């Protein structure tokens, strides 16, 4: 069961944060595409999609009632989420503080 939860967090991260490299980093970091006409909106949309994923992961973690997402020890799900938060930090500087739950997760 825990393995399925780790996989769910991985899949949620891949989906929720997919727009960051494909729609933001492509022009903001890698300079491989022109800046969109409305860069703030592109970032806001990507941030909103990321927040939906974070909220879903948070709901799963809170139902489990463990110290970390799936258990009381750091697991693959925790590593996935933390790495994704680090990766998207350039596009969304406040991502590690986007909710009190995320802030607490990062501080662990």
């Amino acid at each position: 069961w825990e393995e399925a939860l780790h996989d769910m967090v991985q899949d949620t991260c891949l989906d929720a944060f997919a727009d960051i490299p494909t729609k933001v980093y492509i022009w903001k970091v890698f300079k491989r595409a022109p800046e969109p006409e409305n860069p703030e909106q592109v970032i806001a949309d990507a941030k909103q999609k990321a927040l939906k994923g974070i909220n879903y992961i948070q709901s799963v973690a809170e139902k489990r009632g463990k110290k970390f997402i799936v258990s009381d020890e750091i697991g693959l799900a925790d590593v996935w989420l933390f790495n994704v938060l680090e990766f998207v930090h350039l596009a969304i500087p406040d991502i590690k503080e986007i909710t009190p739950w995320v802030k607490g997760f990062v501080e662990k």
Side-chain angles (χ1 to χ4, degrees):
W1 176 244
E2 286 185 2
E3 185 176 334
L5 289 173
H6 288 291
D7 290 345
M8 180 277 307
V9 170
Q10 177 183 356
D11 291 344
T12 301
C13 285
L14 289 172
D15 180 59
F17 295 94
D19 289 351
I20 304 297
T22 60
K23 295 184 179 178
V24 178
Y25 281 4
I26 191 97
W27 58 267
K28 186 172 184 172
V29 177
F30 303 127
K31 310 292 187 208
R32 298 191 67 160
E35 184 173 305
E37 291 182 26
N38 53 352
E40 294 84 15
Q41 187 61 48
V42 172
I43 293 171
D45 291 346
K47 184 176 182 177
Q48 187 60 35
K49 185 175 178 184
L51 184 58
K52 286 180 183 178
I54 288 170
N55 287 338
Y56 179 68
I57 293 169
Q58 176 182 346
S59 72
V60 169
E62 287 176 341
K63 286 179 188 173
R64 303 271 308 155
K66 303 293 183 178
K67 183 176 179 182
F68 295 98
I69 295 173
V70 176
S71 69
D72 288 329
E73 295 185 14
I74 294 174
L76 184 59
D78 307 294
V79 173
W80 260 98
L81 181 57
F82 187 81
N83 282 330
V84 167
L85 294 171
E86 285 289 325
F87 176 70
V88 302
H89 187 260
L90 285 173
I92 307 170
D94 65 338
I95 193 72
K96 294 180 192 174
E97 300 173 347
I98 198 164
T99 68
W101 183 84
V102 170
K103 186 174 181 180
F105 172 80
V106 170
E107 290 173 353
K108 290 179 192 176

